[in-house]
Amino acid sequence: MTPARRAAVLGSPIAHSLSPVLHRAAYAELGLDDWSYDRFEVDEAALPGFIEGLDASWAGLSLTMPLKRAIIPLLDEISPTAASVEAVNTVVFTEDGRRVGDNTDIPGMIAALRERGVEKVESAAVLGAGATASSALAALAVICAGPVTAYVRSRERGDEMRGWGQRLGVDVRVADWAEGARALEAPLVIATTPAGTTDAVAAGVPQNPGILFDVLYEPWPTMLAAAWAARGGAVVGGLDLLVHQAALQVEQMTRLPRASRAVMRSAGIEALRSLE
């Protein structure tokens, strides 16, 4: 028997998060009947107070925007993976009370692509330049042998992506967002932008597309993902990423073998269907 433990996802807004569905499904499969996983609306100003108020029953936290960088000063240690992009999405509380941060988005992206048979690509394109885009570059540092073109809306964003590329060892080339349709010709396209942002380029999917990784899961499919699939291209979605990164979180927080991704994915699909 394992003692009752608590975990949760924090962020703002947070009501839409599927993390509770996925983690609870994993707990059920692992027989962790006394474990609970909740969601809390927490912004950057409220984060320090929330962390200080946690007791010894807490096993860990998942973090979404805007907290992935705000949490770092409150931690005792962060992993090299999290440090590489200055973003933490996972906090584990150790037995001696230390707070350890990690980033499971990066290995989650790699695992989601490998699940679809993507081990290496010669080049890639990234649509967007936010926090998820930096994680995408970190994943591409592992699987992309050549240049990555980042399609961005401003010179400042372009400079940021070049900076991340230099830090991560990725040859990043910058293009204007207005040329986004050209991104779709790449062997691997990673779309990291909010819902609706890529709708304008969906009509430009080529006849024989490569692989699209669209990090959104609601609404799904996006116009771009639907057009891509209609052309016969392989599509990796945001739910794939969410499942893989959440499974890694469960493993770290529970210190038990990984929960079945199939079980977690089924729970996520059912939850999304209930929103239709």
Side-chain angles (χ1 to χ4, degrees):
M1 292 291 291
T2 57
R5 302 299 302 277
R6 299 186 68 185
V9 59
L10 313 182
S12 182
I14 201 62
H16 68 286
S17 176
L18 280 183
S19 292
V21 171
L22 302 185
H23 283 252
R24 291 168 187 169
Y27 294 168
E29 190 211 7
L30 294 169
L32 300 175
D33 299 333
D34 293 332
W35 281 59
S36 64
Y37 189 100
D38 301 295
R39 62 167 70 90
F40 292 94
E41 184 84 15
V42 178
D43 61 15
E44 293 170 278
L47 182 61
F50 185 94
I51 297 295
E52 291 302 324
L54 302 181
D55 61 25
S57 68
W58 284 83
L61 296 169
S62 308
L63 299 160
T64 187
M65 298 305 292
L67 305 179
K68 292 185 179 183
R69 291 192 173 126
I71 189 66
I72 293 176
L74 307 176
L75 302 176
D76 298 299
E77 176 187 346
I78 65 172
S79 69
T81 302
S84 72
V85 291
E86 295 180 0
V88 166
N89 78 326
T90 307
V91 176
V92 173
F93 301 107
T94 65
E95 292 182 359
D96 60 0
R98 301 177 73 249
R99 306 164 183 165
V100 180
D102 193 15
N103 186 309
T104 63
D105 285 333
I106 296 167
M109 283 185 174
I110 295 170
L113 286 164
R114 285 179 172 166
E115 185 178 43
R116 302 300 178 89
V118 183
E119 297 284 346
K120 283 288 183 182
V121 292
E122 292 304 313
S123 61
V126 175
L127 294 168
T132 305
S134 63
S135 292
L137 286 181
L140 289 169
V142 177
I143 67 170
C144 185
V148 175
T149 304
Y151 290 79
V152 302
R153 293 186 181 277
S154 69
R155 178 178 296 179
E156 292 76 18
R157 288 292 196 178
D159 290 342
E160 287 177 10
M161 290 296 280
R162 286 194 190 93
W164 284 118
Q166 291 173 358
R167 182 169 181 169
L168 296 164
V170 178
D171 178 10
V172 173
R173 303 171 184 183
V174 174
D176 191 272
W177 181 261
E179 302 174 359
R182 293 176 54 191
L184 310 186
E185 300 170 5
L188 170 62
V189 180
I190 304 182
T192 69
T193 54
T197 309
T198 60
D199 290 358
V201 301
V205 176
Q207 287 292 333
N208 297 297
I211 303 134
L212 171 68
F213 192 160
D214 194 324
V215 303
L216 294 174
Y217 61 83
E218 173 60 25
W220 188 261
T222 62
M223 285 183 63
L224 179 58
W228 202 275
R231 293 287 193 186
V235 177
V236 183
L239 182 60
D240 299 309
L241 168 60
L242 195 61
V243 166
H244 281 283
Q245 65 86 22
L248 292 168
Q249 290 183 334
V250 170
E251 181 181 17
Q252 290 188 26
M253 293 178 193
T254 66
R255 298 178 178 84
L256 293 174
R258 296 182 187 179
S260 166
R261 278 122 171 102
V263 168
M264 298 174 74
R265 182 177 282 108
S266 294
I269 291 171
E270 187 62 29
L272 289 174
R273 283 176 180 162
S274 70
L275 300 176
E276 295 177 355

